[in-house]
Amino acid sequence: MSSGFTTKLHGPTVMDSGLDAAVRDETPDDPAEAAAFELLRRALDAAPQQKEMLAANEPMAVIVEVPAAEWVDLISIVWGELVWPDLIRGATGDALKRSFGWEPFEGSCWVAYSRDGTEQHHRPDVGNEGVSAILGAGCSVVGFSQSPERHLPRALIQVAEIRVVVPQMNREALTMVVGMLTGCRPSVEIPDRLHSLITIEALRLAWRPDRNADAYAARLLRLLERKANLRPQLTLDQMHGMDEAVAWGTALARDLAEFRRGCLPWSTVDRGALLFGPPGTGKTTFARALAGTCGVPLICGSLYQWQAAGHLGDMLKAMRATFNEARAMAPSILFIDEIDSFGDRASFMHEYRDYSTQVVNGFLEELDGVGGREGVVVVGACNTPDRMDPAILRSGRLDRAILVPRPNQEALERILRHHLGGDLPNVDLAAAALLALGGTGADCERWVRCARRHARHSSRAMTGDDLLEEIRGTRHARSTEEVYRYAIHEAGHALVLAVERPGALVIASIRETGDAQGGVVSDRRHRGLMTRKEIAGELRMLLGGRAAEEVVFGDVSAGAGGSADSDLARATALAVSALHAYGLDDGEDGLLWRGMPTPDALAAMLTARPDLGRRITAMLATAYAEAKDLITIRRKDLDAVAQLLIDRETVGGREIDALVSDMRI
């Protein structure tokens, strides 16, 4: 092997500023290749003992860890030109089929494994026999990867005598690269904060044939600044109504800053979190704000996006590519929307079970942080985590689950103010926030946008009434009798909740929203353990609306029934869960878990089990009778709450609690 480290790729570069450039035959034309040359040269100069070992004429195993996936191929090319210029590069390690006794091409003395994780075979259990064959034939083997333990053959990791760590681009390296390209030191400096954004694409996009050092550096600076501006500008201090998530994100931002400075090992940083809650509560927006606060890139993906790539192999490749992008830009936030769409392997019973299982397994392999996800924080989002595979939530993958609830009145006021910007600066938004209770951050954005549009089309400035009208929404003509019935129905729910669980009621409303004519919202944090007593109280609350109608009118409407989200459906599902899944059955089935009922399977389950249906009917009848008794006794409270709803459409839970408490006294 050669005893020196000159290259035959290019040659001496004359630099008028006297920079100590490597000897090259001619001025390079590819800035990315010049950058790979310089980064590898720096890595070798930083380890003189390894440099001396590489100059020895002996077969050896080498690992070269590159800063990002995109550098794998370029560094492997430059390796042969810079380290072993007098030797021929033999076959690709992944192409070797013989387990031993491989005969190299004439004159070849080294073989490369270049793995960036984009192919299915880029994993430790593939290629191990090739490593032994190469070494047994008297050749050297070099593995190039941004994550060697994750992608290179396990045998190469075990036998490697040398590990070369190629550094990321910095100010000094970039100066040398520009010098090699132009022969001059640039006077335009690129701030340190932008060096992590330098990619092969950026280096090439900024290049022009004029070979002007300052012009090239200026173009590269503009590219990087634009790229930096694409990073999320939203921050966590603009997120309202999700205190737990913001507290976690703020702590993560501090830890990531320490990690970037090298003061904190990755093992002490949270690897990720699951955000769950109703649609529109700001889970996606939170991910953007988290990236903005942390000052890191945000990369987004989803199962549906990856499946669009094609069959299973293409889908897994697309998934790996998203994770590789996040690793290449680490530290970074990888946001995975609708993460519950992966499902639970234990519940796969359909004809595509094998496919779905492989998808979950592939996702877990990418998600697992052992040696392959340093600097990448994964944030998943879904409406409910019940359908998720428990392995996804294991520590080291998504470390915790955080509820993102519907915002309360105070949070809604701040969210509305945020979306209003400079509009309505002197308008008190308390009334609008009260009317908006039950809405989400997404609703607030839509209400403000529509209010602006209405004012614009009317050729005038927006007013507070415009906003209130948008929050109220399109209202169909409702008779006095209809409004009264809606108010009694919702007052029934609210009364049972206020009496039995003071502080749990968030709002009661008869405002039209889509197909609904009103509703109540409760705070799940006030729910106790799921005991028989607690479930009985929940059933009374769910059936309280129908019970109130019967007490007041002597008959009932269909308002308690209908879809899977209706009062009756939710009460039925809860009762079935108590017997089927919670172990609260004193009947003939006894202590037996039969699984949580899903809305799709609930009707079929009750049809197939008439005995179960009879017991559920008895549970609901008991709860309904108890709700009627409570409402009959507290009829004055019911009427007072209903009148508040008629007068104001939406009433806060604290006011209803206070009203019921005062009337109790």
Side-chain angles (χ1 to χ4, degrees):
M1 293 187 175
S2 171
S3 60
F5 286 91
T6 57
T7 177
K8 297 185 178 179
L9 177 65
H10 300 298
T13 298
V14 179
M15 305 182 67
D16 56 12
S17 56
L19 294 175
D20 182 20
V23 177
R24 302 171 72 87
D25 292 336
E26 59 185 36
T27 304
D29 293 320
D30 182 358
E33 196 172 16
F37 178 95
E38 176 60 23
L39 292 177
L40 182 55
R41 185 187 68 80
R42 287 175 172 270
L44 296 170
D45 287 346
Q49 186 176 1
Q50 292 185 348
K51 187 174 179 179
E52 184 177 348
M53 291 175 63
L54 288 167
N57 189 18
E58 295 178 2
M60 64 181 65
V62 182
I63 294 172
V64 180
E65 182 177 344
V66 303
E70 64 173 353
W71 291 101
V72 169
D73 289 335
L74 264 180
I75 295 292
S76 68
I77 292 171
V78 172
W79 177 272
E81 312 261 359
L82 179 63
V83 181
W84 295 327
D86 297 327
L87 302 178
I88 299 173
R89 173 172 168 166
T92 299
D94 286 323
L96 297 182
K97 302 300 182 184
R98 299 178 64 177
S99 61
F100 198 75
W102 169 75
E103 295 180 1
F105 296 128
E106 184 179 356
S108 67
C109 288
W110 70 285
V111 176
Y113 283 87
S114 299
R115 293 183 173 182
D116 58 10
T118 58
E119 300 294 338
Q120 193 167 4
H121 67 271
H122 290 182
R123 60 180 195 265
D125 61 331
V126 177
N128 293 289
E129 291 182 341
V131 173
S132 61
I134 295 164
L135 294 172
C139 294
S140 292
V141 57
V142 188
F144 300 89
S145 179
Q146 80 281 10
S147 183
E149 280 74 17
R150 186 177 181 83
H151 300 312
L152 294 178
R154 188 176 296 109
L156 178 55
I157 300 297
Q158 293 172 345
V159 77
E161 297 104 332
I162 295 176
R163 187 178 187 119
V164 177
V165 179
V166 179
Q168 290 188 341
M169 188 68 71
N170 58 24
R171 185 189 300 266
E172 294 76 18
L174 183 60
T175 299
M176 289 295 296
V177 169
V178 177
M180 279 190 281
L181 291 166
T182 66
C184 301
R185 180 195 296 270
S187 60
V188 176
E189 290 192 352
I190 294 178
D192 292 338
R193 64 182 177 84
L194 297 179
H195 287 131
S196 63
L197 301 178
I198 296 176
T199 61
I200 288 176
E201 181 185 40
L203 289 168
R204 287 171 171 165
L205 283 174
W207 179 241
R208 301 292 186 275
D210 57 20
R211 299 185 182 275
N212 183 298
D214 282 345
Y216 177 69
R219 284 191 294 267
L220 183 60
L221 176 60
R222 287 195 298 271
L223 276 174
L224 299 179
E225 285 179 335
R226 289 170 187 166
K227 194 172 183 178
N229 289 335
L230 292 178
R231 287 180 169 177
Q233 300 301 307
L234 194 65
T235 55
L236 291 175
D237 57 4
Q238 297 169 278
M239 304 304 296
H240 308 295
M242 49 179 75
D243 296 345
E244 183 182 359
V246 169
W248 173 78
T250 303
L252 176 67
R254 290 197 298 267
D255 287 348
L256 276 183
E258 293 293 309
F259 168 71
R260 278 192 290 188
R261 287 195 292 267
C263 303
L264 202 64
W266 175 244
S267 60
T268 63
V269 181
D270 276 0
R271 311 297 174 83
L274 171 70
L275 305 178
F276 69 96
T281 49
K283 297 181 286 293
T284 303
T285 306
F286 174 84
R288 289 169 43 219
L290 177 63
T293 298
C294 295
V296 301
L298 175 67
I299 297 92
C300 299
S302 70
L303 177 60
Y304 302 113
Q305 171 189 327
W306 297 326
Q307 284 179 327
H311 58 72
L312 179 62
D314 291 331
M315 180 267 172
L316 293 175
K317 186 174 181 179
M319 184 194 300
R320 285 194 296 271
T322 299
F323 274 84
N324 285 335
E325 181 184 2
R327 293 185 188 101
M329 303 179 74
S332 62
I333 305 296
L334 174 54
F335 176 68
I336 303 175
D337 202 6
E338 305 297 342
I339 196 171
D340 58 334
S341 59
F342 283 95
D344 184 353
R345 288 169 296 180
S347 65
F348 293 157
M349 304 299 292
H350 47 71
E351 58 182 312
Y352 303 111
R353 175 174 181 169
D354 289 343
Y355 170 90
S356 299
T357 300
Q358 290 185 66
V359 169
V360 174
N361 290 343
F363 180 61
L364 292 175
E365 183 180 347
E366 294 299 326
L367 197 60
D368 202 323
V370 180
R373 190 158 60 85
E374 183 167 304
V376 178
V377 177
V378 177
V379 177
C382 65
N383 296 335
T384 172
D386 297 343
R387 297 193 304 120
M388 288 183 60
D389 194 300
I392 296 176
L393 300 176
R394 195 204 71 186
S395 295
R397 289 170 179 162
L398 298 186
D399 289 325
R400 64 183 70 198
I402 301 173
L403 171 65
V404 181
R406 293 181 184 273
N408 58 23
Q409 183 178 349
E410 180 183 357
L412 283 167
E413 188 171 346
R414 294 200 299 267
I415 294 170
L416 287 169
R417 180 60 68 194
H418 168 75
H419 288 297
L420 283 167
D423 292 333
L424 308 183
N426 300 317
V427 173
D428 186 350
L429 298 178
L434 178 62
L435 189 62
L437 276 170
T440 65
D443 292 328
C444 290
E445 188 276 334
R446 174 174 56 84
W447 291 327
V448 171
R449 172 166 39 83
C450 292
R452 283 196 179 108
R453 182 178 61 227
H454 179 72
R456 185 173 65 252
H457 289 178
S458 301
S459 301
R460 57 174 176 77
M462 183 173 61
T463 66
D465 288 339
D466 291 325
L467 182 59
L468 290 173
E469 285 301 311
E470 289 298 334
I471 296 173
R472 289 191 180 96
T474 302
R475 289 172 292 175
H476 301 92
R478 297 192 293 189
S479 66
T480 303
E481 291 77 11
E482 287 176 320
V483 172
Y484 184 42
R485 184 177 284 272
Y486 296 144
I488 289 294
H489 183 103
E490 301 306 335
H493 291 303
L495 178 61
V496 174
L497 198 56
V499 170
E500 298 196 347
R501 277 197 287 160
L505 180 63
V506 178
I507 62 154
S509 176
I510 58 170
R511 179 167 59 86
E512 288 184 85
T513 54
D515 295 331
Q517 301 297 325
V520 297
V521 176
S522 63
D523 188 340
R524 294 177 59 179
R525 292 172 295 183
H526 284 263
R527 181 180 294 175
L529 296 172
M530 296 302 282
T531 61
R532 291 186 179 91
K533 180 179 179 181
E534 181 71 21
I535 288 174
E538 187 76 6
L539 292 176
R540 287 192 292 272
M541 188 279 293
L542 288 169
L543 299 175
R546 189 181 193 276
E549 288 189 52
E550 184 169 346
V551 168
V552 174
F553 303 112
D555 65 353
V556 296
S557 69
S563 70
D565 293 326
S566 66
D567 299 337
L568 186 56
R570 291 166 59 199
T572 302
L574 177 59
V576 173
S577 298
L579 303 186
H580 248 235
Y582 295 157
L584 303 178
D585 186 8
D586 288 332
E588 58 192 61
D589 286 344
L591 191 61
L592 181 66
W593 184 85
R594 293 178 177 271
M596 289 291 291
T598 63
D600 295 336
L602 190 58
M605 182 188 301
L606 294 174
T607 301
R609 292 280 310 277
D611 59 318
L612 177 64
R614 286 191 293 271
R615 279 185 283 155
I616 298 303
T617 298
M619 288 178 66
L620 298 184
T622 299
Y624 186 64
E626 292 170 349
K628 281 175 57 179
D629 289 343
L630 186 153
I631 289 169
T632 300
I633 295 172
R634 307 298 293 268
R635 173 63 190 272
K636 289 184 179 180
D637 295 354
L638 179 77
D639 291 339
V641 174
Q643 190 59 50
L644 273 178
L645 290 170
I646 292 171
D647 293 341
R648 305 219 307 259
E649 286 193 317
T650 300
V651 183
R654 291 179 183 176
E655 187 172 358
I656 292 176
D657 280 342
L659 176 65
V660 171
S661 177
D662 289 344
M663 296 187 72
R664 184 185 300 128
I665 295 173

